[in-house]
């Protein structure tokens, strides 16, 4: 997924879930570490952690975007845009957005449970596991290639 795809996705979600346009920029920021995304108060841009997409996929990104759009729209409208604000909590619920994310007020991500990604050396298929697996025992289900732990 490219920055332009991400931007388009944010615009679409904004129109569909909030019935309001997104007029700023959305892009991936590799330097985000523990958060899935953040809303920048000064530029009004939304940054998304590419690792969230790589590790958890599209649905995860959509949740993060809905969350960041709650900050975005409330902030632009001069309403309570922080995690502790009632406006924010109500909009989160309405938009069916997850509560985690963001550096705005130090809100924590849902959990820190570690996950492991294994990649097939032959065909490149990724496997996500909550526990470590014995790579001597398991093989790629598509091509039977060897699996290696991705760091
Ligand atoms: Zn947030
Ligand atoms: Zn394979």
């Amino acid at each position: 997924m490219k920055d332009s795809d991400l931007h388009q996705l944010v615009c679409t979600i904004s129109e569909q879930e909030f019935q309001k346009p997104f007029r700023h920029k959305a892009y991936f920021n590799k330097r985000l570490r523990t958060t899935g995304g953040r809303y920048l108060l000064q530029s009004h841009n939304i940054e998304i952690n590419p690792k969230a997409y790589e590790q958890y996929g599209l649905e995860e990104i959509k949740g993060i975007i809905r969350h960041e759009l709650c900050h975005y729209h409330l902030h632009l409208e001069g309403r309570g845009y922080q995690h502790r604000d009632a406006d924010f909590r109500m909009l989160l619920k309405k938009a069916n957005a997850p509560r985690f994310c963001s550096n705005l007020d130090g809100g924590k991500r849902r959990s820190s449970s570690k996950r492991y990604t294994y990649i097939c050396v032959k065909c490149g298929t990724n496997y996500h596991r909550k526990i470590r697996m014995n790579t001597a025992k398991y093989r790629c289900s598509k091509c039977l290639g060897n699996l290696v732990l991705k760091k």
Side-chain angles (χ1 to χ4, degrees):
M1 187 186 267
K2 290 179 299 189
D3 280 347
S4 54
D5 300 323
L6 177 66
H7 183 259
Q8 190 52 50
L9 184 62
V10 174
C11 291
T12 306
I13 291 174
S14 185
E15 293 284 355
Q16 283 176 353
E17 307 281 337
F18 299 85
Q19 287 82 46
K20 288 167 197 166
F22 176 72
R23 298 184 204 275
H24 294 80
K25 280 194 218 144
Y27 49 87
F28 287 111
N29 182 351
K30 269 189 264 184
R31 283 170 309 170
L32 294 180
R33 293 199 170 266
T34 53
T35 59
R38 68 176 174 186
Y39 165 63
L40 302 169
L41 293 171
Q42 267 130 43
S43 63
H44 306 297
N45 294 338
I46 287 176
E47 296 184 343
I48 299 293
N49 189 339
K51 276 175 264 160
Y53 178 64
E54 286 156 20
Q55 292 179 11
Y56 303 107
L58 187 61
E59 284 311 306
E60 177 82 4
I61 291 282
K62 285 182 177 172
I64 295 167
I65 291 170
R66 288 200 295 273
H67 179 109
E68 301 309 331
L69 281 171
C70 289
H71 286 304
Y72 173 83
H73 288 299
L74 289 170
H75 182 235
L76 287 181
E77 289 161 17
R79 294 162 66 196
Y81 64 89
Q82 296 191 41
H83 288 163
R84 59 182 143 83
D85 293 323
D87 282 342
F88 183 77
R89 289 188 195 177
M90 269 164 57
L91 191 57
L92 265 190
K93 255 195 181 160
K94 221 181 127 202
N96 194 20
R99 293 202 52 161
F100 62 81
C101 108
S102 216
N103 287 330
L104 276 176
D105 56 4
K108 279 216 184 81
R109 206 172 179 293
R110 159 172 76 173
S111 80
S112 57
S113 75
K114 218 178 146 186
R115 294 202 194 197
Y116 301 94
T117 300
Y118 292 87
I119 184 164
C120 170
V121 293
K122 232 164 130 189
C123 73
T125 300
N126 281 300
Y127 295 89
H128 305 286
R129 292 289 179 275
K130 279 193 188 137
I131 50 168
R132 288 190 89 111
M133 66 205 245
N134 180 355
T135 53
K137 221 165 132 188
Y138 292 96
R139 287 174 174 258
C140 174
S141 59
K142 287 186 185 156
C143 74
L144 298 180
N146 285 314
L147 300 176
V148 291
L149 183 61
K150 202 167 155 186
K151 296 229 169 74

